[in-house]
Amino acid sequence: MLYPLPVVMVSVTDGQGRDNIITVAWTGTICSDPPMLSISVRPERFSYGMLRETGEFVVNLTTEKLARATDFSGVRSGREVDKFTHLGLTKEKGSQVAAPLIAESPVNIECRVTQREALGSHDLFLAKVLCVHADEAYMDASGRFDLAKAKPIVYDHGSYYGLGRVLGRFGYSVKKK
């Protein structure tokens, strides 16, 4: 009942010219210094072999505009369809990894696997964040990423949701008035 979950599109490559996108809802930040994150993937998924072989991937944040592509990438296998072509998504070359970035995503996080742990139904991939790309169109006047402009989505029990309004900022509950 941990909800909602971030939902991201993870792009991978086999290093031989075949790229894929997998939707992942089991992901998160695990360390700030060094910056690290995790994703969990079922071994039977098409992208799993690519992840295991190359040890590289890109986490592409999702938006309301990318909701259909996010869903499609989670229900169709890359064994059967080239998701980039089918969805009309643009591959962009990364600066640190061979896996492509999804240009339509407002934030792309290039990662290298440091550890893989078999847990049961899923394997957990711990990864070091090598580079973060943020689309300038989503930056506010102070240089911060503006979530309201990006309109990110989350996942909960089979449904996708847009995020609502800001309720407060870190520390607001103890700030002196």
Side-chain angles (χ1 to χ4, degrees), residues 18-29:
R18 189 154 188 194
D19 303 322
N20 195 41
I21 304 166
I22 182 174
T23 299
V24 174
W26 293 355
T27 183
T29 301

Side-chain angles (χ1 to χ4, degrees), residues 12-15 20 22 41-56 79 116 125:
V12 296
T13 187
D14 65 4
N20 195 41
I22 182 174
V41 179
R42 288 181 181 269
E44 58 270 16
R45 297 288 241 156
F46 180 63
S47 294
Y48 178 88
M50 295 180 186
L51 275 166
R52 192 157 178 194
E53 276 300 307
T54 66
E56 297 179 345
R79 288 182 188 96
R116 180 184 55 83
F125 291 86

Side-chain angles (χ1 to χ4, degrees), residues 71 155-161:
D71 183 65
Y155 183 80
D156 181 50
H157 299 286
S159 297
Y160 301 95
Y161 294 89

Side-chain angles (χ1 to χ4, degrees), residues 22-159:
I22 182 174
T23 299
V24 174
W26 293 355
T27 183
T29 301
I30 57 172
C31 189
S32 58
D33 187 16
M36 295 181 72
L37 58 78
S38 68
I39 61 171
S40 292
V41 179
R42 288 181 181 269
E44 58 270 16
R45 297 288 241 156
F46 180 63
S47 294
Y48 178 88
M50 295 180 186
L51 275 166
R52 192 157 178 194
E53 276 300 307
T54 66
E56 297 179 345
F57 61 92
V58 178
V59 170
N60 303 277
L61 298 191
T62 56
T63 64
E64 289 179 11
K65 286 183 182 177
L66 290 170
R68 183 180 179 286
T70 302
D71 183 65
F72 186 91
S73 295
V75 296
R76 292 290 186 235
S77 175
R79 288 182 188 96
E80 302 159 3
V81 64
D82 178 333
K83 296 176 193 178
F84 278 97
T85 301
H86 181 82
L87 295 167
L89 296 174
T90 309
K91 293 180 192 182
E92 197 167 278
K93 185 171 174 36
S95 63
Q96 304 291 313
V97 299
L101 285 61
I102 299 172
E104 291 78 8
S105 173
V107 176
N108 318 97
I109 306 169
E110 296 184 53
C111 301
R112 181 161 296 123
V113 175
T114 60
Q115 186 177 342
R116 180 184 55 83
E117 185 73 30
L119 300 174
S121 64
H122 290 68
D123 281 9
L124 177 69
F125 291 86
L126 305 179
K128 187 173 182 181
V129 173
L130 303 176
C131 186
V132 177
H133 307 269
D135 188 331
E136 291 294 323
Y138 298 100
M139 304 306 274
D140 67 17
S142 65
R144 295 176 53 101
F145 189 79
D146 187 340
L147 284 177
K149 283 184 187 174
K151 297 183 180 178
I153 59 174
V154 294
Y155 183 80
D156 181 50
H157 299 286
S159 297

